[in-house]
Amino acid sequence: MAQTLELGLDTFGDVTARADGSLLPHDEVIRNVIAEAVLADQVGLDFIGIGEHHREDFAVSAPDVVLAAIAGQTSRIRLGSAVTVLSSDDPVRVFQRFSTLDAASSGRAEVILGRGSFTESFPLFGLDLADYDLLFEEKLQLFTELLKEEPVTWAGRTRGRLDNKRIFPPTASGKLKTWIAVGGTPQSVVRAAHYGLPLMLAIIGGAPMNFAPFTDLYHRALDQFGQPRLPIGAHSPGYIAATDEQAREEMWEPYADMQERIGRERGWSRMTRGQFEAEAGPDGALFVGSPETVAAKIVKVARGLGLSRFDLKYSLGTLPHEKLMASIELYGTKVAPLVREQLAED
């Protein structure tokens, strides 16, 4: 693990509720996401990631635009996607948008590429889900060529060919930091190593330490491909309040409702309170509780998986903006110092 652990936040721009339970309109949710990122910058967090979705219960379909607004109101926090669904986008336009964000933010842009766990973007943009694997493989291959910031010649089946084309604007540093998001398949881990890209693990259920074989596989694959050691990050849902009891009570209903809503589309059974409590426990995937509890869990997972970054997926269904702001403040002012203090003892 790197000597220092970066601590970040991720949000999908979940549509949140007012105190009376009514849902906020999408425009207000987007402005609230910007305010949440500004607070994250103020309390010293390292990264804010904005997810891409194309459905009613998430407000953000253009993360790079939201990130540009955040860039204009922040000074140090790094800005990225969580994730960019590369399969249904154009690699050239993705590079251009994030190199432009990099310029606007004075070098703070990152992009996290993935397949995405939702498929609404495929029919929306006229793509066939039968080409799911081919689209991602070809577009990732092209994107890694674009990252070299040199003239590109490329041909494939999923977009028009490029013949010795330069892509503008280039980044000032010559390097746009790019991660590959992985849900836990060996093939995806090896693919990230093959292309020499940092690995971001999406840990949304089960024991985080179950991902240890994937981090080991990633290191072995990097060695086999002749790549240097690269950062490993993890993304998990969580929520922080003054006490464990308060955090769990405030998170439970909005989180369970969100899981049920998505589960109806995917054939999941409704989460029980017992399952929630298990996931919130010391070995589960939910980082929920008091600052001391959440910090201890982050340290345990960071040490066990050799992480360079941990991102808390802090938006949780309809959980109100005001509670998210309180959680972010505790994450930056209480959790982060505890994590850094404990890791400094290693």
Side-chain angles (χ1 to χ4, degrees), residues 202-214 236 278-279 281-287 297 300-301 305:
I203 304 175
I204 59 175
M209 294 313 302
N210 288 343
F211 282 75
F214 293 107
S236 290
E279 291 286 8
D283 299 319
L286 300 181
F287 288 69
K297 196 167 186 177
K300 177 183 176 181
V301 172
L305 298 181

Side-chain angles (χ1 to χ4, degrees), residues 214-224 229-230 232:
F214 293 107
T215 62
D216 179 64
L217 173 62
Y218 181 61
H219 288 309
R220 289 187 285 112
L222 287 173
D223 290 341
Q224 290 179 12
R229 286 298 169 103
L230 295 168
I232 298 175

Side-chain angles (χ1 to χ4, degrees), residues 203 205-210 236-237 244 248 274-290 292-305 310:
I203 304 175
M209 294 313 302
N210 288 343
S236 290
D244 291 350
R248 292 184 184 193
Q275 290 170 327
F276 172 79
E277 293 293 340
E279 291 286 8
D283 299 319
L286 300 181
F287 288 69
V288 53
S290 69
E292 294 77 13
T293 296
V294 173
K297 196 167 186 177
I298 291 173
V299 169
K300 177 183 176 181
V301 172
R303 286 173 173 158
L305 298 181
F310 175 81

Side-chain angles (χ1 to χ4, degrees), residues 122 127-136 157-158:
F122 288 81
L127 299 169
D128 190 338
L129 276 170
D131 296 328
Y132 186 81
D133 291 323
L134 176 65
L135 285 163
F136 188 72
R157 294 164 52 191
T158 55

Side-chain angles (χ1 to χ4, degrees), residues 128-199:
D128 190 338
L129 276 170
D131 296 328
Y132 186 81
D133 291 323
L134 176 65
L135 285 163
F136 188 72
E137 185 60 54
E138 282 202 353
K139 291 184 178 187
L140 180 59
Q141 180 190 68
L142 173 55
F143 196 84
T144 56
E145 291 299 311
L146 299 172
L147 288 174
K148 299 174 183 176
E149 302 197 22
E150 298 172 352
V152 174
T153 296
W154 180 90
R157 294 164 52 191
T158 55
R159 77 174 311 279
R161 64 178 292 121
L162 297 174
D163 291 302
N164 200 39
K165 292 291 186 182
R166 289 195 65 199
I167 308 302
F168 302 102
T171 62
S173 66
K175 185 173 180 60
L176 175 64
K177 187 168 186 178
T178 301
W179 303 71
I180 294 290
V182 172
T185 63
Q187 297 88 343
S188 297
V189 172
V190 172
R191 181 187 291 112
H194 170 72
Y195 286 113
L197 296 174
L199 183 71

Side-chain angles (χ1 to χ4, degrees), residues 228-250:
R229 286 298 169 103
L230 295 168
I232 298 175
H235 148 118
S236 290
Y239 178 69
I240 306 154
T243 67
D244 291 350
E245 294 76 14
Q246 179 186 349
R248 292 184 184 193
E249 283 304 316
E250 291 179 354

